[in-house]
Amino acid sequence: MTTVDARGYSCPEPVIMLRKAMMKKDAAYTVLVDNAASKENVTRYAEHEGYTVSAREANGEYTLTLKQ
Amino acid sequence: MEPDVKLTKLASCAGCGAKVGAGTLVKMLDGFRTHTDPRLIVGYDKSDDASVYMVSDDTAIVQTTDFFPPIVDDPFLYGQIAATNALSDVYAMGGEPKLALNIMCLADSMDDKIVREILRGGYDKAYEAGAIITGGHTIHGAEPIYGLAVTGFVHPKRVLTNSGARPGDVLILTKPLGVGILTTAAKADLVKPETMNAIYKQMATLNKTARDIMLRFTVHSCTDVTGFSLMGHSFEMAQGSGMSLHIDSLSVPFHMEALEFADMGFIPAGAYRNRTYVEKGILKKCEIPRALEDIFFDPQTSGGLLIAVAEKDAKDCLAALQAEIPNAAQIGYVTELHENYLILE
């Protein structure tokens, strides 16, 4: 499980950070973002790469769990 | 020559993607005291591209401003695109730009050569448009900004607002969509150079030709498609006109590469703001792939004109436009308001 903390970054940075982390081809990732657009974009990228995504929101921050 | 400073790295938002959402702006201006003036032909109330004030029976002035952070690293090209985008609002009103003022913000890391190149790009496009830059205002700040305040002229009876569409009008769009998504994906170095060169050229192309051609026909309404996306600007035209705009989803021109980048999540935050703003005004009559929908909400920098032309002139107008602007396409039609403002077919 790799964690990508993209809080404080706006688009497209979180997707670029995840893309770099995915070079490792881990089976699961946790991605932290703090805005809705990044949540959507990270979800799209993860699905495009064949992961299923579940999201949790707390205090405006999103925790995305990606599984292959 | 590639400059040492990457201009786009100095900006947190790209081009018109930096635009504050339409819904936010409406709320901020709510309740202010304003003068009324019968000579003000177009003011803020209809969310139009520029304001228009009648000076005499045959002359009205058109006023607008537009500026944004760097959308491209080449400073000359950035200047050209920012100026093209600012001048476009005058064309969208059917007007002719005549005077312009530079609006500029310099970040500390920009040297004189870069600043000069940005300004040279602006002057280049102003010259092409037949407008004169007579001055401006420059400040220091955290992020670079460039654009123009533009004054143009139009005959008061030939003003093209975004609220004049009539039933039967045919809708024509003059530039393909996808610019926001592609410039976002370009930040990850994913877009082919030839694609980027094509969209840079497109963004630096004045809407002057489109404006000159459309004025030969009976056009009822016009706007330029920029930060609020095709959906946002179409919605404003529909709402302003009190009509329904029917968009034929399969006819809308866009850059093919943008589809895959939308699927990969390279979507500017502005596209989500646009969706939130306009979603309730849309009725979908068919299944539209999510990535294509993203393109419809994609903020465009220096986008094309959306023209509502009378049905009787539509064929000739489209042919005349396509002879000069091959990407111009018929994308829909206008009916009396029924069901909702935007109907995606």
Side-chain angles (χ1 to χ4, degrees), chain B residues 27-321:
Chain B
K27 268 184 234 157
M28 294 214 198
L29 293 167
D30 194 32
F32 288 175
R33 281 195 304 171
T34 53
H35 288 290
T36 55
D37 186 331
R39 286 175 173 271
L40 184 67
I41 303 173
V42 180
Y44 183 77
D45 50 331
K46 289 267 170 84
S47 318
D48 221 312
D49 304 303
S51 52
V52 182
Y53 188 87
M54 192 160 84
V55 190
S56 67
D57 288 346
D58 59 1
T59 307
I61 56 169
V62 185
Q63 249 187 351
T64 179
T65 181
D66 224 311
F67 49 84
F68 48 66
I71 188 159
V72 46
D73 290 318
D74 181 325
F76 178 69
L77 190 55
Y78 168 43
Q80 282 187 315
I81 293 170
T84 302
N85 182 66
L87 291 158
S88 176
D89 286 329
V90 177
Y91 293 129
M93 305 302 295
E96 202 179 3
K98 278 293 162 204
L99 299 169
L101 298 167
N102 287 312
I103 293 170
M104 200 171 201
C105 180
L106 306 180
D108 289 341
S109 51
M110 294 160 72
D111 64 24
D112 290 355
K113 207 175 80 194
I114 291 177
V115 177
R116 193 178 145 77
E117 280 298 284
I118 294 171
L119 289 168
R120 192 169 69 88
Y123 277 73
D124 179 66
K125 283 293 153 183
Y127 183 81
E128 188 185 330
I132 310 161
I133 297 179
T134 56
H137 190 73
T138 302
I139 61 164
H140 285 283
E143 289 187 15
I145 290 171
Y146 180 64
L148 298 174
V150 186
T151 301
F153 295 100
V154 65
H155 192 287
K157 293 213 161 65
R158 302 220 60 188
V159 178
L160 292 175
T161 67
N162 66 4
S163 54
R166 296 181 200 173
D169 284 355
V170 168
L171 298 169
I172 296 172
L173 180 65
T174 66
K175 286 185 186 178
L177 307 176
V179 165
I181 290 166
L182 288 168
T183 48
T184 302
K187 287 197 169 187
D189 297 321
L190 289 173
V191 189
K192 283 183 290 193
E194 56 265 38
T195 305
M196 289 317 291
N197 286 334
I199 67 157
Y200 291 151
K201 198 177 156 197
Q202 173 185 320
M203 289 190 284
T205 299
L206 292 175
N207 282 327
K208 179 182 195 312
T209 307
R211 174 262 184 196
D212 291 350
I213 293 170
M214 78 172 168
L215 289 188
R216 294 175 4 216
F217 302 94
T218 307
V219 170
H220 292 138
S221 190
C222 181
T223 187
D224 59 347
V225 174
T226 54
F228 295 151
S229 76
L230 176 66
M231 291 294 97
H233 291 285
S234 305
F235 174 73
E236 288 185 340
M237 185 184 279
Q239 201 178 38
S241 307
M243 297 284 149
S244 288
L245 264 56
H246 298 249
I247 308 289
D248 176 6
S249 305
L250 296 177
S251 302
V252 177
F254 65 91
H255 294 277
M256 281 306 288
E257 297 90 333
L259 273 184
E260 193 188 351
F261 294 125
D263 259 334
M264 290 171 72
F266 287 100
I267 299 166
Y272 295 105
R273 287 197 292 270
N274 289 336
R275 186 186 283 272
T276 306
Y277 169 58
V278 75
E279 207 161 33
K280 281 192 189 125
I282 299 176
L283 175 67
K284 281 191 273 184
K285 291 242 165 160
C286 61
E287 275 296 311
I288 298 167
R290 186 178 66 179
L292 183 59
E293 244 186 77
D294 292 330
I295 289 172
F296 291 174
F297 288 107
D298 184 34
Q300 303 300 287
T301 298
S302 191
L305 298 184
L306 174 66
I307 302 166
V309 59
E311 196 174 9
K312 67 174 176 66
D313 280 357
K315 214 174 136 199
D316 292 342
C317 181
L318 184 65
L321 283 166

